[in-house]
Amino acid sequence: MSLVMEMSTTGGPDVLTLQDRIIGDPEPGEVRIRQTIIGVNFVDIYFRKGLYPLPDLPVVLGLEGAGIVESTGKGVRFKAGDRVAYTGMPLGGYAETRLLPEARLVRLPDNIPDRVAGSTMLRGLTAYMLLHKVHKVNRGDWVLVHAAAGGLGQITTQWAKRLGANVIGTVGSEAKMAQARTAGADEVLLYKEPDWIDEARKISGGVHLAIDGIGGSTLAQSLKTVRPFGIVASIGHPAGPIPPINIADLGNIALMRPSVIASVNDPEFYREGSNVLMEALQDGLANPIGAEYALKDAAQAHVDLESGILTGSVILKA
């Protein structure tokens, strides 16, 4: 038996309820893991609300975690006792124990704790995708990172600085400015201030890459910060739906809607990105954890994450 946070309908955080479920034994090619750390991400909220397609209900949310292999099906390279982490489909992370395809698991180096890996796989591979695939960042490039005090914002800012880029971070309140600077942002702006676009262009001459995880009307503003032949990556919309954009208005800049969930389904991307991420973590890349909750308090984690009061990554302890 395993405790899981299950939802039988879409809606607010209260649809997440604690249940006891039989997990069963792994089939050939599968692994059963006892989770120690579960990552909570904003994409979980999109699934909970029904903004992203869900499999048949009831369903257990969660796309990221770390733990210890309990048992394996036939033909699997892992063995009981191995430490592993994962991100990506299928859903099911909000659980003490779960089954996963072998290909979804990454073996953890001895010097990377579960706590780090279980909170970093999704954000880390998102940062890898943005800085190595969406735009291969070069030394001296300017990168705009919205929500720079958040979990993804901090790890992306750090990684961009490690690649030699200059980073303009934006935050929603003065209270979060120090956190963005600690992550390495060269300049920090309040994106709710009316002159932030002019300031960003004045500082950088136009950024090479703008990473917009806010959405709503902010994406149209982000487009104005980019230099010719630069690119905007739209990776989320907690501020609300993004109004239609006329392609004729883009001019000599590019707009992409990259998906890390789709990317990690590519075995080559997943293998390469995970290896690069593990090397970076061993070399000092940090992913600060801003809040942790017991598994049974996953609904409260959603409330706090959605409110915007948190900085850093959010985890559940199984």
Side-chain angles (χ1 to χ4, degrees):
M1 302 293 287
S2 171
L3 291 176
V4 304
M5 289 299 292
E6 188 176 85
M7 54 181 276
S8 299
T9 184
T10 57
D14 59 325
V15 303
L16 299 174
T17 61
L18 192 65
Q19 305 290 338
D20 211 354
R21 292 287 180 261
I22 297 173
I23 301 301
D25 295 322
E27 299 289 336
E30 286 187 330
V31 175
R32 188 175 70 208
I33 66 170
R34 168 68 62 174
Q35 299 201 102
T36 53
I37 297 295
I38 301 156
V40 179
N41 297 280
F42 218 95
V43 68
D44 302 344
I45 294 172
Y46 296 152
F47 279 116
R48 191 201 76 222
K49 290 181 171 181
L51 299 176
Y52 287 0
L54 284 165
D56 292 339
L57 295 169
V59 71
V60 175
L61 298 180
L63 290 164
E64 173 184 53
I68 300 169
V69 173
E70 281 194 334
S71 61
T72 65
K74 292 182 180 179
V76 171
R77 71 185 187 277
F78 295 100
K79 64 182 186 302
D82 284 345
R83 295 174 56 248
V84 294
Y86 69 89
T87 192
M89 290 293 194
L91 293 172
Y94 290 10
E96 290 179 327
T97 304
R98 70 171 304 190
L99 296 170
L100 280 166
E102 174 196 20
R104 186 54 64 208
L105 297 176
V106 174
R107 194 185 308 274
L108 291 181
D110 291 341
N111 59 348
I112 297 181
D114 292 11
R115 183 180 176 84
V116 172
S119 62
T120 304
M121 286 291 291
L122 187 63
R123 290 177 176 88
L125 287 175
T126 302
Y128 169 79
M129 174 186 72
L130 292 167
L131 303 176
H132 292 79
K133 300 297 184 181
V134 172
H135 172 76
K136 186 172 177 57
V137 170
N138 298 305
R139 185 168 295 278
D141 282 359
W142 281 94
V143 179
L144 174 72
V145 179
H146 280 306
L152 176 60
Q154 290 191 57
I155 196 170
T156 303
T157 296
Q158 286 184 63
W159 206 330
K161 292 301 297 180
R162 291 166 66 89
L163 294 171
N166 305 295
V167 176
I168 300 173
T170 77
V171 294
S173 67
E174 291 186 3
K176 295 182 178 181
M177 297 181 80
Q179 195 74 53
R181 291 193 180 98
T182 299
D186 298 280
E187 302 283 349
V188 182
L189 304 175
L190 294 170
Y191 73 85
K192 295 179 181 179
E193 292 291 331
D195 62 347
W196 81 266
I197 299 170
D198 293 337
E199 281 296 308
R201 291 195 63 87
K202 180 180 177 181
I203 292 165
S204 65
V207 300
H208 297 82
L209 169 65
I211 300 168
D212 189 322
I214 297 176
S217 61
T218 303
L219 180 61
Q221 297 172 338
S222 298
L223 291 168
K224 298 176 183 178
T225 68
V226 180
R227 67 180 60 197
F229 308 108
I231 186 168
V232 176
S234 172
I235 56 170
H237 47 86
I242 297 169
I245 293 173
N246 187 343
I247 192 171
D249 294 337
L250 292 177
N252 288 336
I253 64 174
L255 172 63
M256 182 182 287
R257 177 72 169 175
S259 167
V260 71
I261 296 175
S263 295
V264 299
N265 282 335
D266 178 341
E268 182 177 351
F269 174 94
Y270 195 45
R271 180 178 60 254
E272 177 188 289
S274 296
N275 288 339
V276 173
L277 175 60
M278 293 300 154
E279 290 173 1
L281 289 171
Q282 292 178 92
D283 192 42
L285 180 69
N287 178 33
I289 293 173
E292 61 179 76
Y293 304 80
L295 175 62
K296 65 181 180 63
D297 296 324
Q300 186 61 49
H302 276 223
V303 170
D304 294 345
L305 182 59
E306 199 167 4
S307 73
I309 64 173
L310 301 178
T311 62
S313 295
V314 180
I315 59 171
L316 307 176
K317 297 186 73 173

